[in-house]
Amino acid sequence: MGYLFKNISIITMDDERQPVIISDLLIEGSKISRIDTNIPKMAHKVIEGKNLLVMPGFINTHTHVSMSLLRGYGDDLELFEWLSSRIWPIEAKLTKNDVYVGAKLGIAEMLLSGTTTFLDMYQDMEMVGKASQEIGIRCHLSRGTIYTGIENKDNEALKQLEELIDKFHDYDEGRIKVLAGPHAIYTNNTEFLKAQLEIAKRRNIGVNIHVSETKKENEDAILSLGKTPIAYLDEIGLLDAPYVVAAHMIYLNKEDQKIVKNKKIGIAHNPKSNLKLGSGIANVQKYISDGIKVGIGTDGAASNNNLDMLSELQYASLLQKGLNLDATSLNAYETLKMATIEGAKVLNISDRVGMLKEGYDADLIMFDLNQPHYYPIENSHISKIVYSGKSSDIIMTMVKGKTLMVNRELKTIDLDKTYNEVSEIIERVHKEND
Ligand SMILES: [Zn+2]
């Protein structure tokens, strides 16, 4: 038993094929087993493809999914004030179960908007792992760390990272992965960063970190360390981890860019969060032209304020055109690559997801094109998805061959129950504030 899509429009994101084909696509077990015309109908669930389109699921390379609980809390503040006066005080009140409920809420939003993989950074990551295990989404967990100077606490954070690896890394044939997650250079010191690097190297995992998110971060680094954040991370060896995902990377000079390219760092570009926090606009067209891997992330729902990748990639493309005064900047196909196969490269999993290809895991989404904003329907599907697409038109989200959302209905999350749990948490946290 598997799924057979018949005569369906397919954006494969596979450069060895035409960008868009009309074909049959067969899924057996967790994998795409065939893309071909005239695949015979057997004991499969058949989906007739008229006015439907399938493509790889979106890969969100940077988020803090449980921050969905904090949506709308502390809007219109710049990053440092936002973190210290709003976010960190309320996060200190969240219990493990709150993080779990926040993860369910965020994953529900992601599945309904076509995200099949996300890289997360937060505290109590085992709760995000538990939610992902149960729900079936592909998830990379990074244990966010902030150096406190209190020995017990800092050692405990390192211990939790090791436990997270023991419990979740490579779960379900690699559907879940674990990374070290030092929050940033301004919230960690050299010794603590090196301790996390040591774990990353010994356990062969990646490192996920915020870098050069604001001008202030760069100016402070130059004042206190005499170099840019990236040059500093290079100097202390952090960029020699098995792989590195650096979020934001707005303020890179030419030397930084050279380091990023040579060390094969993957960048997670978060255009909406960077705009909303007044942080700036990363010139990712320049990075991509230089051969640097760049994916797209939403960041958390407290600084965006949603986890909708389609909206994110639309901002990404339009911003580059405006920034570079060049309509050819970040064209539709390049942008879609960032949200799929390039994102998979950033997360080091491009050998199994990010494209629709025989032998790849069946992580895909299906659009209903029978909407006014896709007509005329005959041409340029890629630009339609990128420039006029709406995530509410996604009617199927599949991870490893399992349908997690069909016809806008979530199969593995009780949404009403989750809403009630969220309301209870918010009520309790506000009471504690009084
Ligand atoms: Zn972030």
Side-chain angles (χ1 to χ4, degrees), residues 1 42 137 146 155 183 343 393:
M1 175 70 181
M42 310 253 275
I137 196 166
I146 289 176
N155 285 340
H183 170 264
D393 305 328

Side-chain angles (χ1 to χ4, degrees), residues 62-64 67 121 183 210 213 247-248 270 273 299-300 303:
H62 184 73
T63 190
H64 313 277
M67 285 182 92
M121 178 197 284
H183 170 264
H210 299 89
E213 180 171 0
H248 305 303
N270 301 264
S273 171
D299 215 344
S303 66

Side-chain angles (χ1 to χ4, degrees), residues 39-216:
I39 301 175
K41 294 178 187 175
M42 310 253 275
H44 307 118
K45 190 167 168 36
V46 176
I47 295 167
E48 294 294 341
K50 188 172 181 331
N51 291 351
L52 298 173
L53 176 143
V54 287
M55 62 168 283
F58 296 126
I59 294 176
N60 186 345
T61 55
H62 184 73
T63 190
H64 313 277
V65 70
S66 300
M67 285 182 92
S68 298
L69 289 177
L70 312 182
R71 192 191 323 265
Y73 185 77
D75 289 328
D76 307 322
L77 294 171
E78 62 85 31
L79 176 69
F80 290 94
E81 200 192 338
W82 175 75
L83 281 175
S84 56
S85 76
R86 303 295 284 170
I87 298 303
W88 287 338
I90 196 167
E91 280 181 345
K93 294 189 178 132
L94 297 182
T95 65
K96 278 183 192 295
N97 190 58
D98 297 347
V99 171
Y100 171 68
V101 172
K104 282 199 299 183
L105 178 66
I107 293 169
E109 184 187 355
M110 288 197 281
L111 291 175
L112 283 162
S113 52
T115 292
T116 49
T117 301
F118 68 104
L119 167 55
D120 204 58
M121 178 197 284
Y122 215 54
Q123 58 201 24
D124 299 317
M125 285 306 289
E126 71 276 17
M127 303 314 285
V128 181
K130 173 174 148 59
S132 302
Q133 267 180 335
E134 291 168 359
I135 294 166
I137 196 166
R138 190 179 297 275
C139 167
H140 290 205
L141 307 161
S142 68
R143 203 295 179 188
T145 60
I146 289 176
Y147 179 71
T148 65
I150 305 163
E151 211 181 323
N152 283 350
K153 250 185 155 174
D154 293 330
N155 285 340
E156 179 60 26
L158 298 178
K159 201 175 127 223
Q160 283 175 6
L161 170 60
E162 300 252 23
E163 287 167 357
L164 202 65
I165 300 167
D166 292 338
K167 187 153 185 209
F168 291 102
H169 191 58
D170 278 334
Y171 170 81
D172 190 14
E173 302 167 316
R175 174 164 66 80
I176 299 184
K177 299 265 184 196
V178 175
L179 294 85
H183 170 264
I185 64 164
Y186 57 88
T187 46
N188 283 260
N189 68 6
T190 305
E191 200 189 335
F192 202 43
L193 286 170
K194 282 188 171 168
Q196 292 171 76
L197 171 67
E198 186 279 319
I199 295 174
K201 282 185 163 171
R202 175 163 45 80
R203 306 297 299 267
N204 196 25
I205 60 165
V207 174
N208 181 28
I209 181 167
H210 299 89
V211 189
S212 280
E213 180 171 0
T214 60
K215 216 178 230 174
K216 180 180 182 325

Side-chain angles (χ1 to χ4, degrees), residues 18 30 61 64 127 220 233 241 245-246 334 390:
Q18 291 294 318
S30 62
T61 55
H64 313 277
M127 303 314 285
D220 287 354
L233 289 172
V245 183
E334 265 180 321
K390 294 183 187 181

